[in-house]
C-alpha cells in the first residue's frame, strides 16, 4: 500500500492530463466555457451597457466578476458529463481494478475543473483588459479573488460530481447545468439588485452568487468588502463540504 | 502456490435477488479457466468480486495468494481486468490510451511499452487515430492490450468476444492462447460454448447461483453417453462459408 500513496500525485497528474486533453479536443466545451462568456461580455458592454446604470464609470469594471462566475457555471455541465461517461463506459472500473488509490480518478476530474477554469478565466480577463477593464487592486486582492473563485469552482464541481455519478443517462447528467446557469442571471452580476422588483430582488440578494459577485467586485475595485465576503465564503465552503461528502458517498457506492 | 484463484462458499445478493448461493472453484496457475453461464447468471458479479470492485456477502476468495477483502491493494497489484464493455478512452488515440495505462502502472518506459503492444496487436497503423474511429474488433484488441500493460500474472476477460464479428473473435482467441502460452493465467467468462471449447483447460458452468460442474472438456464429454460413429454429410456452417469467402478476398 506504501507505493500507492507515493504515486498518488503522479497518478492524479496522469488523470489531469487525460481530462485536459478531452477539453482541448472538444470545440463545444471551449466555445461554452470561454467564447460564450466573452460574447456575453461584448454584448452587455457594447449593446446593452449604454442603458445600464451601475454607478461605476466603466461598465466592464462592473460586469467582469459576473462574467467570470458565468464562465465557471458554464463549465459545470461538462464536469458532470465527463464523470458520467467514465462511469458508464467502464473507465472507473478499469482504474479501480488497478493499483491506484480509488479516489485518484475522482480527484483527477476535480483538479481538471480547477485547472481548465483557471485557463479560461485568464483568457477572459485578458479580453476584458482589451475592452478597457482596469483595476486598482493589489496582488493580495487578486489572490483573494483567485481564492474565492477557486472555492466557488470547487463547490459547483462537487455538485456536478453528484449529478454525473448518480445520473442514469447522458441527458440526466447534463440537467444540473440549467439551474446553475440561471443563478448568475438572477443576481447582481449584470445590474444592481436595487433595480429589481421586490420578490426577484429578495431572491437575488439571498442566493449565493450575489454575495460572491459583490465580494469579487469590491476586491477588484479596491472598495471595502464588508461582511459580504464572509457570507460569500460561507456559501462556497458550505456547498463544497456538503456536496463533496455526498459525491464521495455516491462514488464509493457505485465503485 | 499452485492455484491462482481459490473461491469457497461465495455468496452475494442484490437486495432480494440471491445471485450467488455458495460458489466454489479453483483456477490452476497458468491455465485458461472458462466460466460459462447464461445472461444474468452472475458471471460478471463473480468477476467484480474477484477483481475487488464488489464486496461479497460471505465466503472466502483468495486471488494470487491474497484475500480480496483483507488485501485488495495486493490483489490489484497482481491482476488486470478487461471488463464487459471495451473500457477505452474514445477521445484519446490508441497510443495515448496505452501510454496512460503504462504511466498508471508505473512501468519504466511507457512509450516503448505502448509501441510494443500496438505492434503486437496489429494497431500500429491506427496508433495515432482516436479510439472512437476504431471498429469493434480493434477496440477490443486495444482494450485487451491495455490489460496486458505491466504483465500481470492473472488476466480477467469478461465476455471478451460478445458483439464481435467472427474474424475479430478468432483474433481474440489467438491472443488468449498466446497469453496462456506465455504462462499467464486467464480467467474468462463467456456465453458461447464454442469459445470455452476452443480455449479453456477447465470449464465451469454457473447455473442458478452455483457451479454445477467444473472439469476439463475431456472429462465433461465423458459425462455423456459414448460417441457413436455415424456417417452424415457435413454441411459447412454459415460462419465457415463467411470466413472462407473473406479469406479468399484477402488472398486476392
Amino acid at each position: 500500500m506504501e507505493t500507492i500513496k507515493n504515486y498518488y500525485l503522479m497518478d492524479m497528474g496522469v488523470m489531469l492530463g487525460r481530462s485536459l486533453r478531452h477539453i482541448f479536443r472538444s470545440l463545444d466545451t471551449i466555445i461554452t466555457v470561454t467564447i460564450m462568456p466573452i460574447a456575453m461580455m461584448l454584448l452587455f458592454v457594447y449593446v446593452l451597457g449604454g442603458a445600464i446604470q451601475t454607478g461605476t464609470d466603466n461598465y466592464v469594471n462592473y460586469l467582469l466578476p459576473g462574467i467570470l462566475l458565468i464562465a465557471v457555471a458554464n463549465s459545470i455541465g461538462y464536469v458532470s458529463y465527463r464523470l458520467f461517461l467514465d462511469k458508464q463506459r467502464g473507465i472507473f472500473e478499469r482504474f479501480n481494478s488497478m493499483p491506484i488509490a480509488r479516489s485518484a480518478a475522482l480527484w483527477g476530474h476535480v483538479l481538471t475543473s480547477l485547472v481548465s477554469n483557471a485557463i479560461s478565466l485568464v483568457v477572459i480577463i485578458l479580453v476584458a483588459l482589451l475592452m478597457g477593464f482596469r483595476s486598482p487592486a493589489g496582488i493580495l486582492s487578486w489572490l483573494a479573488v483567485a481564492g474565492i473563485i477557486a472555492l466557488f469552482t470547487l463547490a459547483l464541481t462537487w455538485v456536478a460530481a453528484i449529478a454525473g455519478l448518480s445520473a442514469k443517462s447522458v441527458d440526466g447528467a447534463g440537467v444540473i447545468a440549467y439551474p446553475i446557469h440561471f443563478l448568475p442571471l438572477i443576481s447582481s452580476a449584470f445590474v444592481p439588485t436595487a433595480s429589481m422588483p421586490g420578490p426577484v430582488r429578495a431572491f437575488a440578494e439571498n442566493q449565493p452568487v450575489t454575495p460572491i459577485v459583490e465580494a469579487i467586485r469590491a476586491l477588484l475595485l479596491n472598495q471595502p468588502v464588508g461582511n459580504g465576503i464572509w457570507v460569500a465564503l460561507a456559501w462556497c465552503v458550505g456547498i463544497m463540504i456538503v456536496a463533496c461528502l455526498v459525491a464521495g458517498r455516491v462514488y464509493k457506492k457505485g465503485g | 502456490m499452485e492455484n491462482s484463484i481459490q473461491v469457497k462458499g461465495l455468496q452475494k445478493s442484490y437486495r432480494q435477488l440471491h445471485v450467488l448461493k455458495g460458489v466454489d472453484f479453483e483456477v490452476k496457475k497458468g491455465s485458461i479457466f472458462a466460466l460459462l453461464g447464461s445472461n444474468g447468471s452472475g458471471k460478471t458479479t463473480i468477476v467484480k468480486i474477484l477483481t475487488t470492485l464488489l464486496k461479497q456477502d460471505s465466503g472466502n476468495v483468495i486471488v494470487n495468494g491474497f484475500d480480496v477483502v483483507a488485501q485488495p491493494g495486493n490483489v490489484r497489484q497482481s491482476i488486470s481486468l478487461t471488463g464487459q464493455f471495451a473500457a477505452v478512452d474514445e477521445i484519446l488515440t490508441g497510443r495515448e490510451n496505452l501510454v496512460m495505462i503504462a504511466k498508471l502502472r508505473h512501468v519504466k518506459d511507457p512509450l516503448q511499452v505502448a509501441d510494443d503492444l500496438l505492434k503486437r496487436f496489429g494497431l500500429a497503423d491506427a496508433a495515432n487515430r482516436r479510439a472512437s474511429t476504431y471498429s469493434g474488433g480493434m477496440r477490443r484488441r486495444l482494450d485487451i492490450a491495455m490489460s496486458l500493460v505491466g504483465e500481470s500474472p492473472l488476466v480477467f476477460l469478461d465476455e471478451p468476444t460478445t458483439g464481435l464479428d467472427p474474424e475479430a473473435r478468432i483474433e481474440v482467441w489467438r491472443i488468449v492462447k498466446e497469453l496462456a502460452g506465455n504462462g499467464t493465467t486467464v480467467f474468462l467468462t463467456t456465453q458461447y460454448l464454442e469459445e470455452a471449447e476452443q480455449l479453456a483447460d477447465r470449464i465451469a458452468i454457473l447455473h442458478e447461483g452455483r457451479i454445477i460442474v467444473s472439469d476439463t472438456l475431456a472429462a465433461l464429454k465423458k459425462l455423456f453417453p459414448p460417441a457413436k460413429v455415424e456417417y452424415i454429410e457435413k454441411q459447412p456452417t454459415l460462419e465457415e462459408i463467411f470466413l472462407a469467402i473473406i479469406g479468399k478476398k484477402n488472398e486476392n
Side-chain angles (χ1 to χ4, degrees):
Chain A
M1 296 303 278
E2 267 302 299
T3 46
I4 292 182
K5 266 177 207 149
N6 296 344
Y7 285 124
Y8 193 84
L9 289 178
M10 241 169 88
D11 291 347
M12 232 166 68
V14 176
M15 306 276 180
L16 172 70
R18 161 175 180 259
S19 312
L20 282 179
R21 279 203 172 111
H22 283 203
I23 293 172
F24 286 122
R25 284 177 194 177
S26 157
L27 188 61
D28 184 61
T29 312
I30 294 173
I31 288 175
T32 311
V33 303
T34 311
I35 315 275
M36 277 292 289
I38 290 173
M40 258 181 128
M41 188 160 67
L42 292 168
L43 173 80
F44 269 87
V45 171
Y46 295 122
V47 180
L48 306 170
I52 297 175
Q53 298 305 317
T54 58
T56 42
D57 46 355
N58 184 347
Y59 182 55
V60 72
N61 282 352
Y62 181 88
L63 184 65
L64 183 65
I67 293 292
L68 297 180
L69 296 190
I70 281 177
V72 174
N74 279 3
S75 74
I76 281 325
Y78 291 98
V79 175
S80 172
Y81 173 71
R82 287 193 294 270
L83 273 161
F84 173 75
L85 287 188
D86 273 5
K87 188 189 76 164
Q88 191 206 30
R89 300 238 166 104
I91 307 267
F92 277 149
E93 241 168 49
R94 162 155 258 147
F95 288 154
N96 287 341
S97 69
M98 289 170 62
I100 307 169
R102 209 157 261 210
S103 59
L106 185 57
W107 278 98
H109 279 280
V110 174
L111 193 63
T112 302
S113 175
L114 276 179
V115 172
S116 65
N117 271 306
I119 296 170
S120 72
L121 295 188
V122 166
V123 172
I124 294 169
I125 290 171
L126 289 176
V127 174
L129 284 171
L130 291 177
M131 291 168 66
F133 169 76
R134 294 295 176 266
S135 165
I139 183 81
L140 282 179
S141 300
W142 275 102
L143 283 178
V145 168
I148 293 174
I149 294 179
L151 284 175
F152 178 71
T153 308
L154 277 175
L156 292 191
T157 299
W158 282 112
V159 171
I162 300 173
L165 290 171
S166 49
K168 300 272 180 275
S169 68
V170 176
D171 298 333
V175 159
I176 186 72
Y178 296 108
I180 290 178
H181 280 184
F182 259 94
L183 285 183
L185 298 178
I186 314 171
S187 76
S188 66
F190 300 104
V191 292
T193 52
S195 62
M196 300 173 187
V200 182
R201 179 176 177 179
F203 176 79
E205 286 178 352
N206 292 296
Q207 62 118 322
V209 173
T210 297
I212 297 168
V213 160
E214 298 285 339
I216 296 171
R217 191 178 286 137
L219 285 165
L220 289 182
L221 298 180
N222 244 359
Q223 287 164 356
V225 290
N227 281 332
I229 194 165
W230 301 115
V231 178
L233 287 175
W235 273 112
C236 290
V237 174
I239 295 172
M240 184 176 75
I241 290 174
V242 173
C244 178
L245 289 175
V246 175
R249 186 161 293 183
V250 177
Y251 180 67
K252 252 191 192 156
K253 242 183 166 179
Chain B
M1 184 182 65
E2 209 186 308
N3 287 328
S4 287
I5 302 175
Q6 230 166 334
V7 176
K8 266 193 203 127
L10 178 61
Q11 301 215 29
K12 177 75 191 174
S13 305
Y14 296 103
R15 299 224 172 87
Q16 275 105 15
L17 194 64
H18 203 172
V19 187
L20 305 178
K21 301 171 183 166
V23 169
D24 306 281
F25 65 89
E26 286 167 2
V27 177
K28 278 218 177 71
K29 213 172 167 182
S31 67
I32 303 182
F33 180 91
L35 183 63
L36 277 172
S38 39
N39 277 334
S41 58
K43 298 189 298 290
T44 298
T45 303
I46 291 182
V47 170
K48 282 192 173 172
I49 292 169
L50 263 49
T51 55
T52 76
L53 293 174
L54 200 65
K55 275 205 178 84
Q56 69 263 41
D57 298 335
S58 65
N60 225 340
V61 180
I62 307 290
V63 173
N64 285 325
F66 303 110
D67 187 296
V68 289
V69 178
Q71 300 153 294
N74 298 79
V75 171
R76 281 179 221 140
Q77 202 87 251
S78 66
I79 60 161
S80 71
L81 163 69
T82 301
Q84 202 162 8
F85 307 102
V88 304
D89 186 324
E90 298 199 339
I91 296 161
L92 301 186
T93 65
R95 176 177 280 119
E96 286 169 342
N97 265 296
L98 284 165
V99 170
M100 170 177 76
I101 299 297
K103 281 184 178 164
L104 290 173
R105 288 233 177 236
H106 315 114
V107 299
K108 259 191 195 137
D109 189 351
L111 294 174
Q112 189 60 47
V113 168
D115 277 345
D116 291 347
L117 282 166
L118 286 165
K119 237 181 260 161
R120 185 168 147 202
F121 283 80
L123 292 166
D125 291 335
N128 294 321
R129 264 166 49 199
R130 288 192 197 180
S132 57
T133 66
Y134 284 15
S135 70
M138 290 165 79
R139 211 176 278 208
R140 195 38 118 175
R141 260 160 30 217
L142 176 62
D143 190 27
I144 296 176
M146 284 161 78
S147 296
L148 301 193
V149 173
E151 293 167 355
S152 308
L154 170 59
V155 175
F156 289 88
L157 301 170
D158 193 6
E159 300 200 7
T161 59
T162 300
L164 293 190
D165 60 44
E167 266 186 294
R169 197 162 73 214
I170 288 167
E171 178 65 25
V172 169
W173 289 354
R174 190 187 62 75
I175 293 166
V176 173
K177 282 178 188 162
E178 198 185 293
L179 261 180
N182 295 337
T184 306
T185 312
V186 179
F187 182 100
L188 178 87
T189 74
T190 183
Q191 39 179 319
Y192 303 124
L193 307 179
E194 198 200 342
E195 188 158 291
E197 200 168 339
Q198 281 279 338
L199 295 174
D201 301 314
R202 205 177 179 85
I203 297 167
I205 298 175
L206 180 67
H207 186 67
E208 291 181 345
R210 288 197 176 84
I211 302 282
I212 49 173
V213 281
S214 172
D215 221 321
T216 60
L217 181 64
L220 287 179
K221 278 185 173 163
K222 278 189 198 146
L223 290 176
F224 294 91
K228 267 189 290 182
V229 180
E230 274 180 45
Y231 294 97
I232 310 171
E233 188 181 83
K234 187 176 181 292
Q235 296 282 348
T237 63
L238 185 56
E239 181 169 325
E240 282 164 342
I241 297 170
F242 174 83
L243 290 169
I245 297 172
I246 297 284
K248 262 184 205 148
K249 266 205 176 150
N250 287 347
E251 275 165 32
N252 291 343

